[in-house]
């Protein structure tokens, strides 16, 4: 297999491991990470992979070996990252409405922590005071991201402590002598406009002088990837240039060497992922030609959940005439992957590949309709390896207790 996966490679994998199947191309992850590293090579910048996008332990290890750090959204992700071999010093737990016990556990595991509420900040102060550095997740009141469902930094968002509550934050910092080592924002996903990050820097620089132990400025993730023909991903070179200019020119900077953190999820793993499903049934109707595949939103929920676009190709008939189809799943709910989409003529038994399926694909899958979660395969240096077997019937009963 070559460095880029061909239709023939994908068909071979589908034949060997069955469908539906997620196929991750490792070198594509490396390519994306290199873009970030190269663009920011002259600056003090560190990337934390936002692993909620895809947590297969092989992916975590691959990304660890590339040199990235990891950002976690739950204590279990922290434990998975440790299991994958990340040392605590390379793990960040950016919390969101969690029970304080998870923060206590994270502290015991020795990882970085971002706290997102006054309530948990106070509990942290009570328990640990100045003995352990901690970050604050702020809500900068910036509207950004591909659509409102994936925007997290605006003024009605649940995420972070609103910046206008700075006085209350400072009261807690003073009361408990908190060592605030980083200020974090994450404004949303699929942010194309790099100026959003610049606005974030302005917000953080405004309040940064209040925190004398500050070492890190964490600008979150949300870099856009190209998912449709003609689309562009976030211009990382431009971002690097603008961020470094903002840091060089701002008066607050004087004498300090703040490290910049980013938390890319989608940017690293989206394009590496291909999801392959097989066509079960063709159904012609007066309003649409339906293609029913052996999958549904139980395996890839992004189109139904937040109107995500996945490019679809018929890899079994790539030269067939183009026709418009509605691609749907086989579960008992409306689970449309694409409406009125031109595809090379589709026949029952054909294999369709859904591109950009690496991020929030398998990770959001479920057993709805008591169907099995798909298998996962990684292609590494030209060789395919199974990294998660497809569910089996026993998996559906595994945690059930039969009392009746
Ligand atoms: C989800 C998330 C990210 C990653 O977002 P992407 O759009 O996948 O880059 C980064 N930081 C935090 C705190 C997140 O919750």
């Amino acid at each position: 297999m070559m460095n880029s996966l061909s239709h023939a490679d994908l068909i071979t994998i589908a034949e060997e491991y069955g469908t539906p199947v997620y196929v991750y191309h490792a070198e594509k992850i490396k390519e994306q990470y290199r873009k970030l590293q190269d663009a920011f090579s002259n600056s003090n910048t560190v990337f934390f992979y936002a692993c909620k996008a895809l947590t297969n332990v092989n992916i975590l290890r691959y990304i660890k070996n590339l040199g990235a750090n990891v950002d976690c959204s739950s204590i279990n992700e922290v434990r998975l990252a440790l299991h994958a071999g990340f040392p605590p010093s390379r793990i960040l737990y950016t919390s969101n409405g969690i029970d304080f016990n998870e923060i206590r556990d994270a502290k015991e595991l020795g990882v970085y922590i971002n706290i997102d509420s006054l309530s948990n900040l106070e509990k942290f102060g009570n328990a640990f005071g100045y003995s352990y550095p901690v970050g604050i997740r702020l809500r900068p009141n910036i509207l950004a991201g591909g659509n409102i469902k994936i925007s997290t930094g605006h003024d009605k968002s649940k995420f972070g402590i609103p910046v206008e509550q700075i006085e209350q934050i400072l009261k807690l910092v003073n009361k408990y002598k908190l060592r605030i080592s980083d200020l974090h924002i994450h404004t949303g996903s699929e942010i194309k406009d790099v100026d959003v990050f610049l606005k974030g820097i302005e917000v953080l620089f405004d309040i940064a002088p209040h925190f004398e132990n500050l070492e890190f400025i964490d600008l979150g993730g949300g870099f856009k990837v190209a998912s449709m023909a003609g689309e562009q991903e976030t211009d990382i070179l431009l971002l690097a240039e603008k961020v470094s200019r903002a840091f060089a020119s701002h008066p607050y900077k004087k004498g300090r060497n703040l490290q910049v953190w980013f938390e890319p999820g989608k940017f690293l793993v989206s394009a590496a992922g291909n999801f392959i499903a097989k066509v079960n049934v063709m159904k012609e109707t007066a309003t649409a030609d339906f293609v029913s595949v052996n999958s549904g939103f139980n395996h890839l929920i992004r189109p139904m959940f937040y109107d995500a676009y996945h490019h679809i190709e018929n890899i079994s008939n790539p030269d067939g005439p183009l026709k418009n189809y509605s691609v749907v799943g086989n579960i008992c709910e409306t689970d449309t992957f694409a409406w009125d989409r031109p595809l090379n003529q589709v026949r029952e038994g054909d294999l369709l590949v859904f591109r950009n399926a690496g991020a929030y694909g398998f990770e959001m899958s479920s057993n709805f309709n008591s169907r099995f979660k798909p298998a996962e395969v990684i292609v590494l240096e030209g060789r395919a390896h199974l990294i998660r077997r497809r569910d089996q019937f026993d998996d559906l009963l595994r945690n059930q207790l039969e009392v009746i």
Side-chain angles (χ1 to χ4, degrees), residues 48-53 71-73 92-96 114 137 150 152 159 184-191 218-224 262-269 359-360:
F48 291 74
Y49 166 51
C51 72
K52 72 174 186 288
D71 175 48
C72 301
S73 296
L92 169 64
Y93 183 6
T94 298
S95 66
N96 151 46
N114 284 330
R137 177 174 196 172
I150 55 174
T152 52
F159 294 98
H184 159 105
I185 54 170
H186 171 65
T187 55
S189 198
E190 311 220 356
I191 302 166
D218 181 351
L219 298 173
F223 303 148
K224 183 174 167 43
F262 286 106
E263 303 162 352
K266 202 174 279 178
F267 189 81
L268 289 178
V269 298
Y360 312 109

Side-chain angles (χ1 to χ4, degrees), residues 149 256 328:
K149 287 190 185 170
R256 284 175 173 267
V328 298

Side-chain angles (χ1 to χ4, degrees), residues 102-284:
E102 284 198 18
I103 293 178
R104 192 185 290 279
D105 289 350
K107 187 253 172 195
E108 262 156 38
L109 293 169
V111 306
Y112 289 108
I113 304 166
N114 284 330
I115 291 185
D116 84 315
S117 64
L118 292 169
S119 167
N120 271 340
L121 200 57
E122 171 127 47
K123 290 174 198 156
F124 188 92
N126 253 320
F128 308 120
Y130 60 83
S131 70
Y132 196 83
V134 71
I136 299 180
R137 177 174 196 172
L138 292 153
R139 193 187 73 189
N141 303 331
I142 297 170
L143 179 60
N147 68 52
I148 193 71
K149 287 190 185 170
I150 55 174
S151 295
T152 52
H154 58 82
D155 64 2
K156 294 186 182 62
S157 166
K158 70 166 184 173
F159 294 98
I161 304 176
V163 283
E164 64 271 20
Q165 294 179 2
I166 181 70
E167 291 306 324
Q168 284 147 278
I169 294 172
L170 292 176
K171 238 184 239 162
L172 293 176
V173 170
N174 290 332
K175 180 170 174 195
Y176 297 105
K177 305 276 170 286
L178 291 171
R179 261 200 286 161
I180 304 300
S181 57
D182 99 88
L183 296 178
H184 159 105
I185 54 170
H186 171 65
T187 55
S189 198
E190 311 220 356
I191 302 166
K192 175 136 180 283
D193 178 7
V194 300
D195 288 337
V196 166
F197 294 96
L198 278 292
K199 275 194 227 160
I201 290 172
E202 286 304 309
V203 171
L204 294 182
F205 274 172
D206 270 356
I207 60 168
H210 294 295
F211 303 96
E212 56 193 36
N213 298 305
L214 208 57
E215 295 174 70
F216 318 109
I217 289 283
D218 181 351
L219 298 173
F223 303 148
K224 183 174 167 43
V225 297
S227 45
M228 263 183 235
E231 266 191 340
Q232 301 279 312
E233 65 185 20
T234 305
D235 186 340
I236 299 297
L237 281 171
L238 182 65
L239 175 70
E241 189 193 309
K242 289 198 172 187
V243 168
S244 96
R245 228 185 296 144
F247 269 77
S249 66
H250 199 280
Y252 170 68
K253 191 37 185 63
K254 52 179 181 314
R256 284 175 173 267
N257 189 20
L258 291 176
Q259 190 171 66
V260 180
W261 290 356
F262 286 106
E263 303 162 352
K266 202 174 279 178
F267 189 81
L268 289 178
V269 298
S270 173
N274 302 276
F275 179 60
I276 310 174
K278 186 168 65 75
V279 177
N280 281 342
V281 172
M282 299 294 302
K283 186 186 284 183
E284 287 186 22

